[in-house]
Amino acid sequence: MSVTRTGEPEAPAGPDPHRWWGLVIIALAQLMVVLDATIVNIALPSAQRDLGMSDGNRQWVITAYTLAFGGLLLLGGRIADLVGRKRTFVIGLIGFAVASGIGGAASTSGMLFGARALQGAFAALLAPSALSLLTTTFTDPKERGKAFGIYGALAGSGAAIGFIVGGLLTEYLNWRWCLYVNIPIAVIAVVGALALLSDRPGHKNVRLDVPGAVLGCGGLVAIVYGVSEANGHGWTDPLVLGLIAGGVALLVAFVWWQNRAPSPLLPLHIVKDRNRAGCFLTMGLAVIGMFGVFLFMTYYLQVILGYSPVKTGLAFLPLTVAIIIGSTQISARLLPHVAPRMLMVPGMILAAGGMLFFTQLTVESDYVGELLPGLLLLGLGMGLTFMPVFATATAGVAPQDAGVTSATVNTSQQVGGSIGTALLNTIATTSSATYIAAHLRNPAQKAQIVSEGVVHGYTVAIWWATGIMLLAGLVAGLMVTAKAPRQTPSNATVPESAV
């Protein structure tokens, strides 16, 4: 779920007569952001072939978006508070549409990477504005619950829609339309926002922590770039070590600055709480495996098994359905009665068990017998984990800290996905190259050996992802000591970027 940087919403003079149509516009814009988490995954093999991307660089189509989104999300919320949410909502829509057009017209991989980063930057402005508008538009508790329910349903179903729409557009038009499709959605949302949404002026006393944003985002970019460069240079290369060390130094400087900034992006007392810190870390580690599965399974299904883009999108649906069931039908019902870690730890064990199915992949694996059980277990496990992580991280915070706390959960998702995608892709491509070099003796068998090497790389990376998920379960078990909440927050929905 995206976040508002405000504390308690400002109550308008009376109910907005257009509020339900306004919800449609807000939900449409949010759906656009959610779709981009999955729609591009299906198109990635086609885009890689068309633009000549290397296996080592392909992950930037995903990580450029998630890095910019996660790294700038806190700043985006601050900007919304400063200049007004409706204004930033419209600016975010227009910017997202322009970036999508640039990406769709990309003639080089660098142009596509840049467009994806620009999309992420405008998504970081758009997402907090959307939720802030939702909270200020619906002030009646009953109406707000219904509005958040609709909003959450879209968050949960957005990934499934993205898989199917991405498959249809890629197969029957081309991969570029997976980006172009955002333009008409944004145009409709802009017109609707100008006509139907209202908002109070921005708060002129809000300060922007630009140095904090530069240090935090710069550190993350350096680390991810260093990890991706290890594919071609090796982990001991001075460039790789320098980038990773520089990134760590920038993040240390970010923490130092947050202790001294007059209006910090991330007040450190938020992460000093043991339960919240455990939830942030659990979420960041958990999504590493999730994003890895999206990347590797897309390539495995289309390149190795020869699935069409549409068939690939449909093959992912059980994963999304399992996440929704695990989160809304199991976790949401049990959370008021059990300690959060009693859901999070089993959830991570289930997810790791699902990943184990993928470590056994071969060039001829059967979907129903070998892939489907893994997808279902992974989805249920992640669903069991998402709800208690979000509910526990945001429970008991002061009103003025509610927005930044929710933002940090979402940031941990995006950052975990960015670093995880780069790390796992590097492990996979390096392992594949080593396997092929060791086994390619007969040129007549090259195609077979290359396919086997690619799958071998996927399975090695997935073993790492399995271990990281088990580590997430260990972190949850040791750090999240909160007891069962008295009631589940009415607006605790499935985080959209996780599904």
Side-chain angles (χ1 to χ4, degrees):
M1 187 173 136
S2 305
V3 296
T4 173
R5 291 291 309 218
T6 59
E8 294 299 319
E10 301 165 358
D16 186 341
H18 304 299
R19 60 192 180 280
W20 292 107
W21 282 108
L23 173 62
V24 173
I25 298 302
I26 294 170
L28 187 64
Q30 190 61 31
L31 180 63
M32 183 177 68
V33 175
V34 176
L35 286 176
D36 256 60
T38 54
I39 193 171
V40 174
N41 275 276
I42 303 299
L44 189 50
S46 299
Q48 182 179 359
R49 288 193 301 269
D50 197 12
L51 299 180
M53 298 178 212
S54 69
D55 287 346
N57 286 334
R58 67 189 177 193
Q59 50 87 17
W60 281 106
V61 177
I62 308 299
T63 54
Y65 179 82
T66 54
L67 262 180
F69 192 3
L72 298 175
L73 186 58
L74 292 165
L75 184 65
R78 284 286 193 187
I79 294 173
D81 286 346
L82 176 64
V83 304
R85 297 130 194 164
K86 178 178 177 179
R87 186 177 299 174
T88 53
F89 183 77
V90 171
I91 293 171
L93 284 168
I94 294 172
F96 199 92
V98 171
S100 298
I102 295 171
S107 56
T108 65
S109 58
M111 186 176 175
L112 179 58
F113 300 157
R116 289 288 287 165
L118 197 60
Q119 276 187 310
F122 281 107
L125 189 64
L126 176 60
S129 305
L131 191 58
S132 294
L133 286 169
L134 190 65
T135 58
T136 55
T137 300
F138 293 91
T139 55
D140 178 79
K142 290 184 178 180
E143 287 193 348
R144 177 177 291 185
K146 184 177 180 181
F148 268 98
I150 296 171
Y151 187 86
L154 272 176
S157 61
I161 297 171
F163 283 131
I164 296 175
V165 172
L168 289 170
L169 291 175
T170 302
E171 186 163 343
Y172 295 111
L173 293 172
N174 60 51
W175 65 269
R176 298 178 185 276
W177 281 95
C178 292
L179 293 159
Y180 287 146
V181 71
N182 293 318
I183 298 175
I185 296 175
V187 169
I188 295 171
V190 167
V191 173
L194 294 174
L196 300 171
L197 296 179
S198 58
D199 186 33
R200 293 176 180 270
H203 301 280
K204 299 303 180 184
N205 61 336
V206 172
R207 296 182 180 181
L208 299 181
D209 182 15
V210 176
V214 171
L215 289 171
C217 202
L220 294 172
V221 170
I223 290 173
V224 170
Y225 186 51
V227 169
S228 65
E229 285 297 297
N231 177 55
H233 296 83
W235 289 100
T236 59
D237 184 81
L239 173 65
V240 173
L241 294 176
L243 285 168
I244 294 175
V248 171
L250 286 173
L251 293 182
V252 170
F254 170 79
V255 173
W256 174 85
W257 173 249
Q258 294 308 286
N259 263 323
R260 291 158 178 78
S263 183
L265 275 182
L266 179 60
L268 293 184
H269 69 268
I270 296 294
V271 296
K272 287 179 180 177
D273 179 87
R274 176 174 179 161
N275 287 298
R276 280 196 287 273
C279 287
F280 299 150
L281 190 53
T282 299
M283 179 63 83
L285 291 170
V287 297
I288 289 176
M290 173 67 79
F291 277 70
V293 166
F294 282 171
L295 178 65
F296 298 139
M297 291 301 291
T298 297
Y299 276 86
Y300 178 76
L301 292 170
Q302 291 192 42
V303 177
I304 303 300
L305 297 187
Y307 280 28
S308 68
V310 170
K311 191 175 180 181
T312 301
L314 293 173
F316 274 111
L317 284 184
L319 172 68
T320 305
V321 172
I323 290 175
I324 296 172
I325 291 173
S327 183
T328 63
Q329 301 304 312
I330 301 176
S331 268
R333 295 175 186 271
L334 293 178
L335 186 56
H337 309 291
V338 300
R341 63 178 172 182
M342 297 303 292
L343 295 170
M344 295 161 65
V345 174
M348 285 293 90
I349 293 174
L350 266 181
M355 298 290 282
L356 285 176
F357 276 88
F358 305 139
T359 64
Q360 307 303 311
L361 292 178
T362 69
V363 293
E364 298 176 344
S365 290
D366 174 62
Y367 177 81
V368 174
E370 299 175 68
L371 299 180
L372 182 59
L375 291 170
L376 292 174
L377 284 175
L378 176 63
L380 284 173
M382 298 299 280
L384 281 174
T385 304
F386 288 152
M387 177 66 78
V389 163
F390 191 84
T392 305
T394 56
V397 298
Q400 65 270 22
D401 292 330
V404 69
T405 304
S406 298
T408 309
V409 179
N410 287 275
T411 299
S412 67
Q413 285 180 280
Q414 300 295 334
V415 169
S418 302
I419 295 175
T421 301
L423 174 64
L424 295 177
N425 187 68
T426 296
I427 291 172
T429 51
T430 303
S431 300
S432 294
T434 302
Y435 181 96
I436 293 169
H439 290 79
L440 187 57
R441 299 182 180 89
N442 184 354
Q445 296 178 323
K446 181 177 180 179
Q448 178 69 18
I449 295 298
V450 168
S451 295
E452 291 176 356
V454 169
V455 174
H456 172 76
Y458 295 164
T459 58
V460 171
I462 291 170
W463 271 113
W464 279 84
T466 303
I468 293 171
M469 282 195 168
L470 291 174
L471 178 60
L474 181 63
V475 168
L478 295 177
M479 294 186 65
V480 183
T481 58
K483 297 181 179 179
R486 293 182 180 178
Q487 64 180 34
T488 305
S490 62
N491 62 341
T493 63
V494 183
E496 75 272 0
S497 55
V499 296

